Amino acid sequence: MRTLLVSMLLMVLSTSAWAQQAPTGMNSEGREFWLCFMKNFREAGKNDQAGRQGGLRLQLFVTSSYDAKVRIQIEGIEYDNTITVKANTVVNVQIPAMAQLRSVESPERLAVHITSDVEIGVYGLSSRYQTTDTFLGLPTTVLGTEYRAVGYSKIQVSPEMLSGLSIVATEDDTEVTITPRVTTSMGRPPGVPYNVRLRKGDVYTVSARWEAVGTCDMTGTHVKASKKIAVFSGHACAYIPPKVEACNHLIEQLPPMAAWGKHYYVGMLKERSKYTYRVIAAYDSTKVFEDSRVVATLRAGEHYENLNATRHVQITADRPILVAQFAQGFKNGDSVGDPMMILVSPTQQFMNQYRFATPINGDWHHYINVVSPRATASKIRLNGRPIDSSLFVPLGESRYAIAQVQVPFGSHMIRGDAPFGLYSYGFGFDKAAYDAYGNMAGQSFYEATSFKDEEPPTADGRNVREGYAITFRDDRERDRGLKSVMLISSSGVDVNIPTIDEGVPQATIVIKRSGGAGSSKVVFRAMDAAGNAQEYTVCQLYDNTTNKVMYILSQGNNPECQEGGAWMVGAYTTLGSSAHDLTAALASVPLAQQKFNSAAIGTNYGGGAMVGWRALGGMILTGSIGVSNVGGSVLAADTSMSTVFDTSSARFTQYQQATQADLSLTYLDMALGMEWFPLKYFYVGTGLRMSINLSAASTTQRTILRPSSWTYADGSRSSAIEPAAINELQTSFLSWYGTTGFLYPVSYRISVSAEMQYHKTLGDIATSGPWTLQSLGVGVGFRYRL
């Protein structure tokens, strides 16, 4: 992992001022740091690639969003170095190997003190041949006074491969109480607290004593101080799981217990078939849930371990916990990488954006795991481009999804509209084989006690094969988990409420239809661990139009839960033939010498939108609004005729002309009606329609009625006249209509329709004489059930 150097970069940049939702002083960027380098495996070993025996490398990576002047001091080795960091760059600082901690249970003056004139981010790296790890440095502004360690089990073959922790005092006269979980290297018994007094800049290390029996694991060791301290924890070189080779150095700077959370999401590691994770409890009687299933009830300092997790996991608890994820050794069957440790961020500490960078270029595959609420995952941008939405997969039944994204070597920026979690990791291959790295890409550090759960549980539902599944959730950032779901009332359905363990993030209840075609109703009352409660109603409605059951979930106790009430919207188009029957004088039509008196046929077409409401008995009440156009040709024969000689027939005959009006009548149609379904998909309907005149135009022409062989000078039997508007039409009129058709559901919500239509006006459409209108046509459309 020596190629990891820049991996710290990943954290350094990620937790800088880019974390907008965490104010200055509440993320991992600051102006003062107290760090240390824990002991990394053995002093001697194989030569590194530069030929140095043991090859210990200690490095710091410093970055800032601003130009920064940074001073680094280590009193115990008289190290004092001032560097300049240009804005948005990373500076790699080599630290003398003598800065590595050497003593146990005895203070050393080997604290790394870093100060800056502006906010900076700091990452540390400790590397020997094939045993490397990195850690994110935390500024003094986010440090606390109470911690619990996370390490790992001993290696049976080597007494020097043990877990430990190191404490750095940031102020003089700091009283520290340590309660080890196992016997320490100096023989202090487990469970018995002891005190040490430290000066500002002292580093005090506690490690486990190697014993043939037991894990020799410092995980859960309690550290409490009178003043702010920095605490580091890890393992000299761990096998993970305990008997799987090969080992790697583990080190992380711990967040204070005040910043622990209760909701965590741990994802699979790309290229790996399984991983290990640990959950450490802050307090007694902590219930731990894995995907809503209780897996452990822990006392303070105890931990739960899943040695071989093979899927994405949601981890929650009813009290604050710390979660660490581990990659496994090379010989776990994957033949990829080696162990590494990631401290997982709780959702309460997620941020809106991160800047991160991958390790130095070489034989590495670099990845990020992005954990986001499903609703906002599509808004996340990596280097200005959206992440492929197909990469996000649901995290169980939770509100979150996770994406595994491969990233190239270099620095990156990732932003989202809502807080999300980010973890960066990589695995070496070829020359970098047996190496791995992993880091939380930053978080905020609000105190857990500042999160007040004041919102009741939410609920969402979905259709399942057995009926309807409703999931009650209490898994938001401030939530404390569900306490109970009670059945207030039910009818016509079977409901079985499973046992709900207090603190569970979500619980799913399946509602099954118990028979009959009527409507039914179920009312639940969901309460969370904070005492917030909310009622929810599920209406089961039988749709005899489609012979299907519909479920409607609503908040509160809905008293109007009955069959019917299913709203739908849709669109339609029509095409048909119109019949005009008129004896009307149309003075606005040029050259018309008498009333138009004819029965004409024309074409009509139109379209519009509809809304429907399914009432009792399968009846649907409908309303529609649309536009239609009615055509047709009507004649007004001239009153004057003359006698002429027709050469084609060699006899005298009558000569008569007429005025022909080719109509184009446009109406706004508004209709109310009903549909009744005597058969499953087939219906008959009736209703009234009001038509409002929008325009009434005609193209008028003179035409020769007789003799049939005569034409005008241009050889045609008709001669066009200027178009005219017909002024004698009613502003509006009523029609009655009848329909017969079928409505076929292509899905539960979408149906298509086709019908035959008949319309007849109720009265005349003109003011100047009788004029009625009938039409026969077809209509097609679709409907969407709300």
Side-chain angles (χ1 to χ4, degrees), residues 5 36 62 82 96 110 112 163 187 189 194 342 401 418 424 466 502 559 578 596 609 645 687 728 764:
L5 311 180
C36 68
V62 184
T82 299
L110 292 177
V112 181
S163 68
Y194 71 95
I342 299 174
S424 176
E466 302 90 333
E502 183 171 343
S578 299
F596 284 80
F645 181 77
E728 291 81 3
D764 295 318

Side-chain angles (χ1 to χ4, degrees), residues 684-712:
V684 293
T686 187
L688 293 176
R689 184 177 75 180
M690 172 176 281
S691 299
I692 299 174
N693 186 2
L694 297 180
S695 68
S698 69
T699 301
T700 309
Q701 56 187 351
R702 294 288 286 172
T703 184
I704 300 174
L705 292 182
R706 50 186 162 175
S708 60
S709 60
W710 280 40
T711 63
Y712 291 110

Side-chain angles (χ1 to χ4, degrees), residues 483-686:
K483 181 178 182 179
S484 63
V485 176
M486 297 177 59
L487 182 63
I488 302 301
S489 63
S490 68
S491 62
V493 294
D494 293 330
V495 182
N496 183 22
I497 299 179
T499 300
I500 294 177
D501 295 292
E502 183 171 343
V504 68
Q506 62 259 330
T508 299
I509 297 172
V510 177
I511 300 170
K512 298 181 180 179
R513 181 178 167 195
S514 61
S519 62
S520 60
K521 169 183 171 181
V522 187
V523 181
F524 297 97
R525 186 172 189 266
M527 178 182 290
D528 64 19
N532 305 303
Q534 177 64 59
E535 290 186 351
Y536 291 94
T537 300
V538 179
C539 299
Q540 177 189 270
L541 305 175
Y542 180 73
D543 186 352
N544 59 10
T545 303
T546 62
N547 283 355
K548 293 183 178 179
V549 175
M550 178 176 63
Y551 296 91
I552 299 175
L553 171 65
S554 59
Q555 186 173 299
N557 190 334
N558 181 3
E560 299 180 0
C561 199
Q562 60 183 5
E563 183 184 356
W567 285 94
M568 63 187 71
V569 294
Y572 66 89
T573 182
T574 60
L575 178 65
S577 178
S578 299
H580 301 261
D581 188 2
L582 73 160
T583 305
L586 301 179
S588 57
V589 177
L591 303 180
Q593 297 182 14
Q594 65 174 23
K595 292 181 179 181
F596 284 80
N597 190 344
S598 64
I601 301 296
T603 300
N604 67 76
Y605 57 89
M610 63 83 63
V611 61
W613 187 76
R614 185 177 59 81
L616 297 176
M619 185 178 296
I620 297 178
L621 304 181
T622 63
S624 66
I625 183 169
V627 175
S628 63
N629 183 274
V630 180
S633 296
V634 293
L635 287 174
D638 290 353
T639 55
S640 62
M641 291 186 292
S642 59
T643 302
V644 297
F645 181 77
D646 183 5
T647 58
S648 63
S649 61
R651 61 185 178 88
F652 287 92
T653 185
Q654 295 292 319
Y655 175 77
Q656 184 180 27
Q657 297 185 79
T659 299
Q660 177 179 314
D662 295 327
L663 304 174
S664 178
L665 313 179
T666 303
Y667 293 97
L668 174 66
D669 301 316
M670 295 176 289
L672 293 175
M674 56 172 289
E675 297 168 349
W676 176 62
F677 288 78
L679 299 175
K680 184 174 181 179
Y681 300 126
F682 292 88
Y683 63 88
V684 293
T686 187

